[in-house]
Amino acid sequence: MRLLLLLSLLGIVLLVRGSDPATSAQFSGRKLLKSADGSYLRGAFRGPNDNSEETVAEHSNNREWFVDLTSRRKHCTKWHVEDHNGRVALKSAYFKDMYLRSSDSGFVDLVNNREDPSIIWIPVKQDGGKWSLMSIRGSWLRFKPDGNVTQESTNAEGQFFLEDW
């Protein structure tokens, strides 16, 4: 219990202090986020079978946007990482104007709202060239072994590598 409290306080300190603008500048650009097991962060949807840009625009209200891991490097695994002076926002390169969002309930998905504060993440550089992302709520983006992507209070499985595309 004390460890969780300490980790939460550490997260709050990082949020108050913010991230170093040089760190977010290094993190930003055209990126792929690759897990330690070689899977890539992907933004996708459940809905119509055709995922062409025209269909995405026409049917955006009829789908469930989600984020998971995939073993193949595809267009939907590419992200435009926007630098926000020490913080970042991950915009899908495939689904126009869709951003990676953290939620109060712990899930991670995509949202079409650039003004939503829950699209902002703090990049944290780890040892060995790895990175982590902390939401503005203080929870960490976490890649699960089963391919799910969530956010949790600890950073144990949330470390990943960045690749340019």
Side-chain angles (χ1 to χ4, degrees):
M1 185 66 164
R2 286 185 176 191
L3 178 60
L4 287 176
L5 180 60
L6 180 61
L7 290 172
S8 295
L9 290 174
L10 177 61
I12 291 168
V13 168
L14 283 172
L15 285 175
V16 171
R17 231 181 48 197
S19 182
D20 178 17
T23 302
S24 62
Q26 185 179 4
F27 192 92
S28 64
R30 296 169 19 155
K31 303 292 182 185
L32 296 145
L33 282 67
K34 185 176 178 181
S35 70
D37 73 355
S39 298
Y40 293 93
L41 181 68
R42 163 179 73 170
F45 65 88
R46 293 178 187 90
N49 292 331
D50 180 6
N51 63 1
S52 67
E53 286 193 28
E54 180 178 80
T55 302
V56 169
E58 290 173 358
H59 300 286
S60 62
N61 294 330
N62 299 330
R63 59 176 42 112
E64 176 188 350
W65 297 98
F66 68 96
V67 177
D68 67 358
L69 298 175
T70 182
S71 60
R72 295 191 330 238
R73 185 175 166 161
K74 304 176 190 178
H75 194 67
C76 59
T77 63
K78 297 177 180 178
W79 300 90
H80 292 286
V81 181
E82 300 175 352
D83 187 350
H84 290 263
N85 196 30
R87 298 171 183 197
V88 296
L90 282 76
K91 181 179 172 183
S92 172
Y94 186 61
F95 298 111
K96 186 177 178 169
D97 298 327
M98 300 300 289
Y99 288 85
L100 185 71
R101 173 178 66 170
S102 66
S103 73
D104 290 333
S105 60
F107 70 88
V108 179
D109 65 358
L110 298 176
V111 65
N112 185 1
N113 182 356
R114 190 171 198 269
E115 303 303 318
D116 187 337
S118 62
I119 68 167
I120 300 298
W121 299 84
I122 299 172
V124 178
K125 194 163 188 171
Q126 305 289 345
D127 293 335
K130 293 181 181 179
W131 290 84
S132 297
L133 283 174
M134 186 173 65
S135 75
I136 61 167
R137 293 180 176 86
S139 58
W140 297 89
L141 185 67
R142 191 159 179 184
F143 297 170
K144 301 283 197 155
D146 63 1
N148 287 320
V149 176
T150 63
Q151 55 181 338
E152 297 182 9
S153 60
T154 61
N155 190 20
E157 294 175 31
Q159 296 179 352
F160 52 86
F161 297 96
L162 287 179
E163 291 182 3
D164 292 328
W165 60 271

